[in-house]
Amino acid sequence: MNLNYILSRLAQMIVVLVGVSVLIFVLTRVLPGDPVAAALGDRATVGQMAQLRAEMGLDLPLWQQYARFVTGLFSGNMGLSLVEKRDVSIVIAERLPATLELIFAALFIAIVVGVPLGVLAAVNRNGIIDQVSRVVALFGVSFPQFWVGIMLQLLMGLALAWLPITGRSSVPMPPAITGFLTIDSLVALDFTAFGNAIRHLICPALVLAAGPLATIMRMVRANMIDEFEKPYPELAQALGMHPFIINFKYVLRNAFTPTLTLIGFLIPIMIGSSFVVEKVFAWPGLARYGADAIMANDFNGVIGITLVICFFVVLLNLIVDLLYPIIDPRIRLGAEK
């Protein structure tokens, strides 16, 4: 792996984060609405509003406010959250694991289910499986997530009473180590808590995974069909190689590189979609807090959440770029020449 390439991408990450911080900081200041008035209510006196505005630094010039914000970032202080009445960094640290656990679970479902279905649809082109995959893809990308979430709640939670419809857990959980309830419960060997966490995770993860699963499935299908047009699958079949090995070891590996690029683009979309999913399922994650912060004109909360989301987006895209040479060695060899 080229070290210079990694360093250059890290430098680009820093530039992107600085640019996003400046942009979102300016936008929160020019948009209409007074966060101090929203936080204190109609009965607040002029003196109380002036005091809170001074505590938040909103009475300073814009460049001084930004300098104060950047200085606070290096000390782990993102300012006071008007929604939670606590430091934004503390709120983010508490809620971020819940959102990451939901997104990773949905991404796992989308890949584990979408890739094999895409392969089967390509192998059985224009067959029954392919036709069913088209219906699934159409369903996944057409129906709004809030509607799918509500229907899933009515079916799985109320009609069948199989799964909980809100929250993240309904039993006492073990001490937090990673913040991921599934991992922490396994570390503590508390299988009751683990099962409870999984049951709460299934519905929101399925809703969040629906769109990406359909997109990944159709992308894999299209790329697999293109690979089947090349001579090497027919040659491998003539040599007596098993179709399963041909499809999954060779054809899928060559077809997966464009799909990996697509997954990198889907991650930001899933982060944006989590705002809706967390609201519908009352999931105590970062996206739900972000929606509340936007509604309350919580400037510090909006800026902090935006920076954290931007950081994870660029980081995950960097990871996707680093996975290219592992999946397709031709990319690595081309970079070394």
Side-chain angles (χ1 to χ4, degrees), residues 224-243 245-247 250-252 254:
M224 289 280 292
I225 291 176
D226 290 340
E227 291 296 322
F228 282 138
E229 300 296 331
K230 298 178 181 179
Y232 72 89
E234 186 175 355
L235 175 61
Q237 185 176 9
L239 293 175
M241 192 173 295
H242 195 278
I245 298 178
I246 297 174
N247 295 332
Y250 295 105
V251 179
L252 177 60
N254 292 332

Side-chain angles (χ1 to χ4, degrees), residues 101-102 104-106 108-109 156 162-171 173 180-186 190-206 281 283:
E101 187 173 35
L102 175 60
F104 289 154
F108 176 80
I109 294 173
M156 304 299 291
W162 286 352
L163 296 171
I165 60 176
T166 58
R168 197 179 176 199
S169 175
S170 57
V171 298
M173 299 302 296
F180 288 59
L181 297 187
T182 51
I183 297 177
D184 292 343
S185 57
L186 285 178
D190 189 344
F191 297 106
T192 300
F194 175 75
N196 186 265
I198 290 294
R199 293 180 70 249
H200 281 79
L201 186 61
I202 290 176
C203 283
L206 285 175
F281 289 93
W283 189 262

Side-chain angles (χ1 to χ4, degrees), residues 61-121:
L62 190 61
W63 69 270
Q64 291 186 10
Q65 294 184 37
Y66 182 74
R68 179 177 176 178
F69 172 75
V70 173
T71 304
L73 282 179
F74 287 103
S75 61
N77 180 13
M78 293 185 177
L80 177 67
S81 170
L82 298 178
V83 174
E84 294 281 340
K85 312 301 181 187
R86 296 182 294 165
D87 190 275
V88 173
S89 59
I90 298 177
V91 180
I92 291 177
E94 290 179 355
R95 290 177 173 260
L96 181 60
T99 295
L100 292 180
E101 187 173 35
L102 175 60
I103 291 175
F104 289 154
L107 188 61
F108 176 80
I109 294 173
I111 295 175
V112 170
V113 178
V115 172
L117 286 180
V119 174
L120 293 176

